[in-house]
Every structure is written in C-alpha cells, then in structure tokens.
Amino acid sequence: MRIAIASDHAAVDLKAELREHLIEQGHEVADLGPDTADRVDYPDFGYKLAAVVADGTAERGVALCGSGIGISMAVNRNPACRCALVSEPLSAALSREHNDANCIAMGARLTGPDMAKACLDAFLSTDFGGGRHAGRVEKLSNPS
C-alpha cells in the first residue's frame, strides 16, 4: 500500500518509528516531513498530507502531532479526506469499518510507540464495511 506520513516537530521521533514499521511490513512510504525537531506549524504538514491522499498519490495517510488534534483538523479541511484521531486499536479499526477513514491521526505526547503501531496495524488491516455506512460516508464529502 502507498502510505504518506507527516508530523509536526513534537512527533518527529514517532513518525520515524512508524515509517520504519510500515517499511518493514512492505508498504511504500512517503515521508512528507519534517526531518528535524525544529519548530514547525502542524497545519502546513496536515495540508500537505491531505493533498497527496486526495489526489491518489497515497492510498492512506498518517498524521502526527503532539496531541493529534490539530493535525487531524488540518487534514479534515480537505473534503476528500476522512482523518480519524485515535488512541487505541478499536477506534482505529472502527474508523475504517464504519467511516472509511483514509487517514489516521495520533498524538505523540499521548500515545506511545507500541500503542501507535497497534493502532496503525488495526487501521491498515480493516476494510470498510459499506452497507448501511456507505450513505453516511458519502455525506461527509458531499453535504446536502
């Protein structure tokens, strides 16, 4: 799977761990930055991640910041993106099964590396359930 990953300065270390985890699993990973822990603004990286998911360059996105809240808000500004902020594997799986999330967000200051990997694995291994959820998901990108 083609996966893009981006963070702010607070999540650079977690981003590096998750990038390696994804590569070890055989995924093609685009690291959208940043490369250092120098201060950056999370919206810039959230928008960059959303753009590559929206245009199909990446099939899924992983967005990280200190809490996960700010960068998830930035990603969700793009109507083609459905970014779920998660902190444990069940919510990660449900974000795919019920909401067809194409991006996941986590907070490096709130979620440790092992839990983040478990969330990411659940997110990537769960398919969208469709059915009764499909119409609701359609409304997320096309409100009436």
Side-chain angles (χ1 to χ4, degrees):
M1 189 177 298
R2 293 180 325 273
I3 302 169
I5 188 167
S7 72
D8 72 354
H9 55 280
V12 168
D13 292 339
L14 181 59
K15 179 172 63 80
E17 284 197 53
L18 294 180
R19 180 186 62 232
E20 292 309 311
H21 179 69
L22 290 166
I23 291 168
E24 288 170 4
Q25 292 182 335
H27 297 289
E28 180 183 326
V29 180
D31 186 338
L32 304 179
D35 298 323
T36 70
D38 294 341
R39 187 190 170 282
V40 297
D41 295 329
Y42 61 81
D44 298 334
F45 292 91
Y47 297 151
K48 188 185 295 190
L49 180 73
V52 301
V53 171
D55 74 13
T57 301
E59 297 168 76
R60 299 277 188 274
V62 180
L64 308 165
C65 68
S67 67
I69 298 167
I71 201 164
S72 68
M73 290 177 170
V75 173
N76 280 321
R77 297 275 182 197
N78 188 314
C81 293
R82 293 171 303 282
C83 185
L85 174 60
V86 303
S87 59
E88 37 65 41
L90 179 58
S91 60
L94 290 174
S95 77
R96 287 284 309 129
E97 183 181 347
H98 291 190
N99 310 112
D100 198 18
N102 51 12
C103 298
I104 189 174
M106 292 180 277
R109 293 180 179 141
L110 305 174
T111 306
D114 291 337
M115 182 60 74
K117 289 175 188 174
C119 289
L120 187 53
D121 291 347
F123 175 73
L124 295 174
S125 65
T126 304
D127 293 325
F128 177 47
R132 65 188 172 95
H133 304 292
R136 297 170 185 152
V137 170
E138 178 65 26
K139 287 182 178 184
L140 292 173
S141 294
N142 300 303
S144 44

